[in-house]
Amino acid sequence: MVDSKKKTPVAARAKKPAAAKVDAVKAAATAGVAKPDLDAVRAQIDGIDHQIQTLIAERAQFARQVGKAKGKLAAAVDYYRPEREAQVLRRVVDRNDGPLSDTELVRLFREIMSACLAQQEPLKIGYLGPEGTFSQQAVHKQFGHSAKGLPLASIEEVFDEVAAGNADFGVVPVENSGQGTIQSTLDMFLTSPLKICGEVELRVHQYLLSRTGRIEDIERVYSHGLSLAQCKQWLRENLPGVEKHAVVSNAEAVRRAKKSDDAAAIAGENAAHVYGMQVLAGPIEDRSDNTTRFLVIGRGAFPTSGNDRTSLMVFIRDQPGALYRILEPLARRDISMNRIESRPAHGALWQYAFFIEVNGHVDESPLKDALGEIDAFAGEVRVLGSYPVAVP
Amino acid sequence: MVDSKKKTPVAARAKKPAAAKVDAVKAAATAGVAKPDLDAVRAQIDGIDHQIQTLIAERAQFARQVGKAKGKLAAAVDYYRPEREAQVLRRVVDRNDGPLSDTELVRLFREIMSACLAQQEPLKIGYLGPEGTFSQQAVHKQFGHSAKGLPLASIEEVFDEVAAGNADFGVVPVENSGQGTIQSTLDMFLTSPLKICGEVELRVHQYLLSRTGRIEDIERVYSHGLSLAQCKQWLRENLPGVEKHAVVSNAEAVRRAKKSDDAAAIAGENAAHVYGMQVLAGPIEDRSDNTTRFLVIGRGAFPTSGNDRTSLMVFIRDQPGALYRILEPLARRDISMNRIESRPAHGALWQYAFFIEVNGHVDESPLKDALGEIDAFAGEVRVLGSYPVAVP
């Protein structure tokens, strides 16, 4: 509708193979010769956009075919395949030569897949609410913005709504790189029939927030104990004489800090937005790789993506050497273990329970064989799920 | 890295012109003949993804050239052009033949542009915080997720931070389809030198939230008076005997409703997430086209996008027929007026002020000529900005 008035001859070339053009422009730029004409570059971009759009429309058509493979066009949940999405995104990362970062490209392809998948009925994703909006960010990161998020009040409810079919999948936090495992999430699997279908890793940043925005006013800092711990060094260096108060959540910390001029809170940046606070400093966490890991839970199991992880709950009787005998079949097959944690066993029958995460998929060797062996020793081996390793 | 084990001959065809393939698959589907093989369709999609990725990388390279046109690679703010983005998105809508909706495609292209623009230093966008996250949604809708949002405590602060250069642009709410103009936003332009560079329209949905999640418990409903008004009919039909309490904001309503089992709040869905409330029902607004309009404010003016709107503040002395004489040059040129509102004139010099929105750009006829004429009659004509009409 709105055509540029100055049509340059370059615009007409937009349908030629594009690689050569890029190289030419790049060469011109790096050699420091005459800058390319702005209108010409924009005409090139317009040509590229037209091609991208044609391809996205084709992709959406093909996605409909996948959706129809089982009959008439199905709801997204009927043809969403986490292992397939992981494969697509890994290919995107593998062939990325820049200039955009892997993260940006993965994000764009997530959104394209999300839009293609939501054509009939979008995925409904339950997630945990009150602690801020990191969980919602995890939903968007994993499922894109075309999925429909259902904010819920507790981890239990996320499990319940997915089990009842009111949500297609759920996203629940399971560990923080500083804090370790969130026990209450793992405990849900002791009674729930749901399966782990995926994992999401989210970089989490901490900010210092206050009502006045003046760091010299601060006498007290409120935050969750774990957030205080994550920012320990920063606090020592920047607010050495200040009282630290650990409270039940970062949201609670912000509410308290909002009441007086001499208090600050450590919380996510979004909290500043939600509660109308000023950002004094951030990110202030001591480890720049501070991440929270979320699990995607669903009603079914999915095939291998080629690079998977498996979460197990292993119950054993009190036998000398029982743990060793369980680990040995894994070690012998060079199956690497990402995590092992002893858990209180809630039933009377087994005295010990272990939460174990290993590389591989239960349907494939060598994990399949190792689990067969372990089964003979352990009281019970429960597979919580095999799922694609998180794509960054 | 993770290649499908079953390579089909179709995979090798992925580089051929794609339109013919789509047509073939479509024809097969509509004719009800044999369903296409799932692996074959996926191979097609993989081929398309590869092409899309190549094109996005090229687009990003060209975007760098635009950024370099002024010297070395500049920060995004130095080459962000709202009129250009609007043109790109209108073309996307014009050539859309489905199957994705215009909204989904515009969203994807916003994200692609956002990623391409953020290569050096992303745009920093100030926005208004405490009332919920609609403003943040408006930022994402207009600038994509690669821009950096700066949550601020008040509309005044958004203006201040943009004026001071701490934010590149600001996003402030200016009217709701039910509620009319937000006067305090317009009043900022009486003293601020900032210009309107864009508008964003956001569909806003209202939800009924409570602590228990049981509608039969509800005796009282809290919300902002305007939100109560937006849901009047729904409340009459579904909660006829229930007390309505108008409070200062929807966030305040949620905080109150959270304190007892027999209270509910009307608010955005995000509020349920932030405050850990249950969603009882929604969307419950009576008009399905309930929208909030936001203005993008910045330090500079931009050229025409080909489909623009201009906001004016016109000050006049108390002369009989003065308003008529101001409107006549517009009417004579068939310039449509979207809005006119009388405003209190804060200075002593002019007795009347009018906020007027018209179609067109100040740099172009016929608006340019009309404004020249009006200038002669009016005490003062201040152009708040000419900007692209919102792309849905």
Side-chain angles (χ1 to χ4, degrees):
Chain A
M1 140 172 70
V2 183
D3 279 336
S4 169
K5 278 167 196 164
K6 299 176 205 161
K7 287 250 175 183
T8 68
V10 182
R13 296 206 319 255
K15 283 176 186 164
K16 275 197 194 175
K21 293 179 309 196
V22 180
D23 290 344
V25 176
K26 264 193 281 193
T30 48
V33 297
K35 287 165 205 147
D37 173 56
L38 196 61
D39 284 341
V41 174
R42 286 190 170 152
Q44 299 281 22
I45 291 176
D46 290 341
I48 290 172
D49 283 347
H50 196 150
Q51 293 178 63
I52 292 174
Q53 184 168 355
T54 304
L55 289 162
I56 289 174
E58 278 180 41
R59 194 192 200 286
Q61 285 290 3
F62 279 120
R64 291 174 81 91
Q65 298 312 318
V66 176
K68 273 182 183 162
K70 294 176 184 175
K72 72 186 186 74
L73 191 56
V77 64
D78 294 326
Y79 63 104
Y80 171 72
R81 300 298 291 258
E83 81 283 9
R84 162 80 183 153
E85 290 210 347
Q87 288 167 348
V88 168
L89 295 177
R90 283 178 204 145
R91 283 196 203 105
V92 166
V93 171
D94 282 351
R95 66 191 168 212
N96 184 24
D97 287 327
L100 296 184
S101 67
D102 289 352
T103 310
E104 285 286 58
L105 271 178
V106 163
R107 193 174 68 73
L108 292 177
F109 272 87
R110 280 266 188 226
E111 294 296 344
I112 290 170
M113 288 192 287
S114 182
C116 288
L117 191 64
Q119 292 181 70
Q120 184 65 12
E121 197 183 319
L123 285 180
K124 294 191 289 291
I125 315 293
Y127 65 95
L128 174 68
E131 287 286 319
T133 57
F134 289 139
S135 288
Q136 193 184 26
Q137 286 177 35
V139 170
H140 288 152
K141 182 171 177 186
Q142 183 73 3
F143 294 99
H145 284 75
S146 300
K148 183 170 164 53
L150 301 175
L152 298 167
S154 66
I155 289 179
E156 287 75 6
E157 257 187 71
V158 177
F159 275 80
D160 290 348
E161 294 297 292
V162 175
N166 298 328
D168 298 323
F169 294 94
V171 170
V172 289
V174 70
E175 79 187 68
N176 182 276
S177 57
Q179 140 190 18
T181 307
I182 297 166
Q183 308 291 359
S184 52
T185 298
L186 287 186
D187 286 348
M188 289 304 301
F189 289 104
L190 292 173
T191 52
S192 171
L194 295 182
K195 292 286 177 196
I196 303 172
C197 312
E199 58 171 5
V200 191
E201 288 183 349
L202 199 71
R203 204 59 81 81
V204 170
H205 297 301
Q206 303 284 6
Y207 290 80
L208 188 71
L209 313 177
S210 82
R211 191 164 84 175
T212 67
R214 289 189 300 268
I215 199 160
E216 59 272 21
D217 293 347
I218 306 307
E219 306 280 349
R220 292 168 290 147
V221 175
Y222 293 98
S223 196
H224 192 280
L226 298 160
S227 300
L228 286 172
Q230 285 170 19
C231 306
K232 202 170 160 184
Q233 195 182 328
W234 189 92
L235 288 171
R236 198 166 45 222
E237 289 168 10
N238 294 276
L239 291 171
V242 159
E243 291 172 31
K244 285 101 188 164
H245 295 270
V247 293
V248 65
S249 71
N250 289 354
E252 174 62 21
V254 177
R255 274 193 289 271
R256 293 213 193 177
K258 200 171 160 58
K259 288 183 187 154
S260 60
D261 284 351
D262 64 350
I266 294 174
E269 200 177 12
N270 279 346
H273 162 73
V274 173
Y275 297 98
M277 299 280 275
Q278 309 289 310
V279 176
L280 287 176
I284 62 168
E285 67 275 6
D286 299 330
R287 296 177 49 152
S288 62
D289 60 346
N290 190 31
T291 54
T292 295
R293 180 169 170 247
F294 297 82
L295 296 178
V296 179
I297 53 172
R299 296 182 292 276
F302 292 93
T304 178
S305 76
N307 182 17
D308 301 281
R309 191 165 283 164
T310 295
S311 297
L312 305 165
M313 199 76 86
V314 179
F315 301 85
I316 57 173
R317 289 188 198 85
D318 183 20
Q319 293 177 326
L323 180 58
Y324 172 79
R325 290 172 72 180
I326 281 168
L327 299 185
E328 195 274 336
L330 297 167
R332 183 158 28 87
R333 289 179 177 83
D334 284 330
I335 295 169
S336 47
M337 197 183 318
N338 311 98
R339 171 180 303 274
I340 177 163
E341 277 183 38
S342 58
R343 310 277 313 126
H346 291 276
L349 190 55
W350 318 117
Q351 290 192 298
Y352 294 92
F354 295 90
F355 174 68
I356 298 176
E357 277 181 11
V358 292
N359 278 354
H361 193 286
V362 285
D363 293 344
E364 285 196 328
S365 295
L367 185 58
K368 189 180 179 181
D369 316 322
L371 290 179
E373 258 188 73
I374 291 172
D375 240 352
F377 302 119
E380 185 184 346
V381 177
R382 200 179 301 169
V383 177
L384 306 188
S386 289
Y387 47 90
V389 170
V391 179
Chain B
M1 137 170 73
V2 183
D3 279 337
S4 168
K5 279 167 195 164
K6 299 176 205 161
K7 287 251 176 182
T8 67
V10 181
R13 296 204 321 255
K15 283 176 187 165
K16 276 196 192 176
K21 293 179 309 197
V22 180
D23 290 344
V25 176
K26 262 193 281 193
T30 47
V33 298
K35 287 165 206 148
D37 174 54
L38 196 60
D39 284 340
V41 174
R42 285 188 172 154
Q44 299 281 24
I45 291 176
D46 289 342
I48 290 171
D49 283 347
H50 196 150
Q51 294 177 63
I52 292 174
Q53 185 168 355
T54 304
L55 289 162
I56 289 175
E58 279 180 40
R59 194 193 199 287
Q61 285 291 2
F62 280 119
R64 290 174 82 90
Q65 298 314 316
V66 177
K68 273 181 183 163
K70 295 176 182 175
K72 72 186 186 75
L73 190 56
V77 64
D78 294 326
Y79 62 103
Y80 171 72
R81 299 298 290 258
E83 81 282 9
R84 161 80 183 152
E85 291 211 346
Q87 288 166 349
V88 168
L89 295 177
R90 284 177 203 145
R91 282 195 203 107
V92 165
V93 170
D94 282 352
R95 65 191 168 213
N96 184 23
D97 287 327
L100 296 183
S101 67
D102 289 351
T103 311
E104 285 286 58
L105 271 178
V106 164
R107 193 174 67 73
L108 292 177
F109 272 87
R110 280 266 188 225
E111 294 295 344
I112 291 170
M113 288 192 287
S114 182
C116 289
L117 191 64
Q119 292 181 70
Q120 184 65 12
E121 197 184 319
L123 285 180
K124 295 192 289 291
I125 315 294
Y127 64 95
L128 173 68
E131 289 283 321
T133 57
F134 288 138
S135 289
Q136 194 183 27
Q137 286 176 34
V139 170
H140 288 153
K141 182 171 178 187
Q142 183 72 4
F143 294 99
H145 284 76
S146 300
K148 184 169 164 53
L150 302 176
L152 298 167
S154 65
I155 289 179
E156 286 75 5
E157 258 187 71
V158 177
F159 275 80
D160 289 348
E161 293 297 293
V162 176
N166 298 327
D168 298 323
F169 293 94
V171 170
V172 289
V174 69
E175 78 186 70
N176 182 275
S177 57
Q179 143 190 13
T181 307
I182 297 167
Q183 308 290 0
S184 52
T185 299
L186 287 187
D187 286 347
M188 290 302 301
F189 289 104
L190 293 173
T191 52
S192 172
L194 295 182
K195 291 286 177 196
I196 303 173
C197 312
E199 58 171 5
V200 191
E201 289 183 347
L202 199 70
R203 203 61 79 81
V204 169
H205 297 301
Q206 303 284 6
Y207 290 81
L208 188 71
L209 313 177
S210 83
R211 191 164 86 175
T212 68
R214 289 188 302 269
I215 198 160
E216 60 273 20
D217 293 348
I218 305 309
E219 306 280 350
R220 291 167 292 147
V221 175
Y222 293 97
S223 196
H224 192 280
L226 298 159
S227 300
L228 286 172
Q230 285 170 20
C231 307
K232 202 169 159 185
Q233 194 182 329
W234 189 93
L235 289 170
R236 198 167 45 221
E237 287 169 10
N238 294 276
L239 291 171
V242 159
E243 290 172 32
K244 286 102 188 165
H245 295 270
V247 293
V248 65
S249 72
N250 289 353
E252 174 62 20
V254 176
R255 276 193 287 272
R256 292 212 193 177
K258 200 171 160 58
K259 287 183 188 155
S260 59
D261 284 352
D262 64 351
I266 294 174
E269 199 176 11
N270 279 347
H273 163 74
V274 174
Y275 296 97
M277 298 280 275
Q278 309 290 308
V279 176
L280 288 176
I284 62 167
E285 67 275 7
D286 300 329
R287 296 178 50 153
S288 61
D289 59 345
N290 191 31
T291 54
T292 294
R293 181 169 169 245
F294 298 83
L295 295 179
V296 179
I297 53 172
R299 296 181 292 276
F302 292 93
T304 178
S305 75
N307 182 16
D308 300 281
R309 190 166 283 165
T310 295
S311 296
L312 306 166
M313 200 77 86
V314 179
F315 301 85
I316 56 174
R317 289 188 198 87
D318 183 20
Q319 292 177 324
L323 180 59
Y324 172 78
R325 290 172 72 178
I326 282 167
L327 299 185
E328 195 274 336
L330 297 168
R332 183 158 28 90
R333 289 177 177 83
D334 283 330
I335 295 170
S336 48
M337 197 185 314
N338 311 99
R339 170 180 303 273
I340 178 164
E341 277 183 39
S342 58
R343 310 276 314 126
H346 292 276
L349 190 55
W350 318 118
Q351 289 191 298
Y352 294 91
F354 295 91
F355 174 68
I356 298 176
E357 277 181 13
V358 293
N359 278 353
H361 193 287
V362 287
D363 293 344
E364 285 196 328
S365 296
L367 184 59
K368 190 179 178 181
D369 316 321
L371 290 179
E373 259 187 72
I374 291 172
D375 239 352
F377 303 118
E380 186 185 347
V381 177
R382 199 179 300 168
V383 177
L384 306 187
S386 289
Y387 48 89
V389 171
V391 179

